[in-house]
Amino acid sequence: MKIDGIPYRSIWVDDDGWSVRVIDQTRLPHAFAVARLTTAADAAEAIRGMTVRGAPLIGATAAYGICLAMRDDPSDEALDAAYAMLLATRPTAVNLRWALDAMRDRLRNRPRDERVAAAYACAAEICDDDVATCRAIGEHGLGVIRDLWEEKGRPDRLNLLTHCNAGWLATVDWGTALAPIYMAHDAGIPVHVWADETRPRNQGASLTAWELGRHGVPHTVIADNVGGHLMQHGLVDLCIVGTDRTTAGGDVCNKIGTYLKALAAHDNGVPFYVALPYSTIDWTIEDGATIPIEERDAAEVTRITGRTSGGTVVTVTVTPEGSPAANYAFDVSPRRYVTGLVTERGVCPATKDGLLSLYPERKSA
Ligand code: MRU
């Protein structure tokens, strides 16, 4: 996607040919800053501290973390240590494990003197594949949006609701849930997006709103509690969100609060779609209840960061002194609330059979 006319991905190799550049998402929307990662520990910290976030980008960053580790020491021991360190950064998004497995499989049986080059080649493939995959998700999701718009008699405004940030910042480019929205906008469909603020870290207010604004997509930021009311009043035509892990049975784990939107959509007959690449499907489990749910620092709940009218970015405390807070980062929307899964191979029901119809090679797995 372009920022001020300059095309960007969310992660790339620096002109020096080895260090890794990422957009520092902790600084948005108040500043556009690029961070440089030079060690595997830098990559791990970028994931843990959410300089980078979003399931596919976490995977891509971990892949480059392995590259940086191999530069320092291409031994099996270093590979295993970097794998373990990076895997431990965040527990929920399965793309992390997927990317690390791909890297380790590629490097494991190679001579040590080939490992650095092979690692950078594999990480680049993971990134290019993510871009192509998200573009395909966008095209399939565009079909869903277009059909709905036609079905509704081509209204002047088609209201979409999304939660968290599943845009290009969360992937390498395009995004998952936002890719169809960008394509619909570009195709002249008059989409308007309700962007849930997504407390506690405000990925919707800070990142989704920033992305949509940069692309010229009409949008309105809403508090997390507003969606149900909008749906009751016919002001949401379709919900579309991303996911950090979708089970082989079709249960969808995504940013905390997604479940409440899925419930409200179900109660109000609003279609609820989930957009995802194949790397987000966890074929090893069927029941979403077994997905590990990340619990983060309570300070993300008790404190909030924003810009003063004078332009200074400050963090303030919003809770009483001494009140404990809990910070569950993800929840699971059971498959029965999901209208469809939008993947790079097409749209399917959120069921085991639905997924297998798109990924028949998994039948024998
Ligand atoms: O905690 P985050 O910001 O990493 O959570 C991100 C999400 O929940 C996204 O919706 C998900 O990763 C899908 S991104 C294409």
Side-chain angles (χ1 to χ4, degrees):
M1 305 299 274
K2 287 186 182 162
I3 303 170
D4 300 332
I6 302 168
Y8 276 91
R9 286 183 173 188
S10 59
I11 187 166
W12 64 97
V13 176
D14 189 77
D15 288 344
D16 63 18
W18 68 271
S19 66
V20 178
R21 295 283 186 172
V22 292
I23 296 170
D24 184 348
Q25 301 192 27
T26 64
R27 306 281 308 279
L28 288 169
H30 310 301
F32 180 78
V34 171
R36 182 168 181 251
L37 314 178
T38 60
T39 63
D42 283 353
E45 193 40 46
I47 297 169
R48 196 180 300 109
M50 294 177 68
T51 303
V52 295
R53 31 65 54 203
L57 180 57
I58 290 171
T61 307
Y64 276 114
I66 295 286
C67 299
L68 296 169
M70 292 296 91
R71 275 190 96 242
D72 283 345
D73 175 0
S75 68
D76 281 353
E77 295 71 29
L79 178 58
D80 289 344
Y83 180 105
M85 175 178 68
L86 289 157
L87 187 65
T89 51
R90 296 192 72 188
T92 303
V94 77
N95 307 59
L96 179 60
R97 187 180 75 202
W98 172 85
L100 286 168
D101 284 348
M103 294 295 290
R104 192 168 60 178
D105 290 351
R106 182 76 74 92
L107 301 179
R108 175 64 86 203
N109 295 318
R110 265 182 198 272
R112 288 181 184 199
D113 61 352
E114 290 177 10
R115 283 186 178 177
V116 173
Y120 277 94
C122 189
E125 279 169 32
I126 286 172
C127 289
D128 290 347
D129 177 74
D130 186 65
V131 177
T133 298
C134 287
R135 186 183 295 115
I137 290 169
E139 281 156 6
H140 292 296
L142 168 60
V144 171
I145 293 174
R146 194 194 298 280
D147 287 352
L148 187 73
W149 185 54
E150 299 284 354
E151 234 170 71
K152 294 203 169 221
R154 296 178 160 235
D156 291 343
R157 168 163 149 159
L158 192 73
N159 285 305
L160 313 176
L161 182 143
T162 194
H163 191 72
C164 194
N165 172 262
W168 70 269
L169 288 168
T171 63
V172 178
D173 205 352
W174 283 105
T176 55
L178 294 195
I181 294 176
Y182 289 128
M183 289 189 189
H185 172 79
D186 292 349
I189 299 171
V191 288
H192 163 265
V193 181
W194 299 111
D196 282 351
E197 63 176 344
T198 320
R199 275 284 282 155
R201 288 190 65 103
N202 285 325
Q203 290 95 328
S206 302
L207 305 177
T208 297
W210 183 79
E211 275 195 29
L212 293 174
R214 291 287 161 150
H215 199 80
V217 180
H219 63 281
T220 306
V221 178
I222 50 174
D224 287 322
N225 305 322
V226 176
H229 169 79
L230 294 176
M231 291 186 220
Q232 284 177 323
H233 289 79
L235 292 170
V236 180
D237 296 300
L238 174 138
C239 298
I240 185 161
V241 299
T243 166
D244 292 81
R245 193 184 299 220
T246 289
T247 70
D251 290 340
V252 167
C253 183
N254 191 45
K255 179 52 55 192
I256 194 77
T258 302
Y259 170 51
L260 293 177
K261 295 302 141 65
L263 279 177
H266 184 75
D267 191 45
N268 289 283
V270 174
F272 187 91
Y273 283 90
V274 179
L276 68 153
Y278 67 96
S279 52
T280 302
I281 305 169
D282 186 345
W283 295 101
T284 68
I285 54 174
E286 288 205 15
D287 181 0
T290 59
I291 296 173
I293 300 296
E294 179 178 16
E295 289 180 51
R296 294 185 61 85
D297 192 336
E300 292 180 351
V301 176
T302 60
R303 312 183 78 195
I304 196 161
T305 299
R307 192 183 61 245
T308 67
S309 51
T312 313
V313 175
V314 293
T315 300
V316 297
T317 301
V318 291
T319 52
E321 193 79 19
S323 284
N327 189 3
Y328 294 92
F330 296 94
D331 61 25
V332 175
S333 299
R335 62 200 80 161
R336 63 183 176 278
Y337 298 129
V338 179
T339 309
L341 301 173
V342 183
T343 78
E344 73 285 351
R345 292 196 186 175
V347 183
C348 72
T351 60
K352 189 174 179 181
D353 286 349
L355 280 167
L356 288 175
S357 72
L358 292 183
Y359 300 94
E361 70 275 21
R362 287 283 168 178
K363 279 182 186 158
S364 52

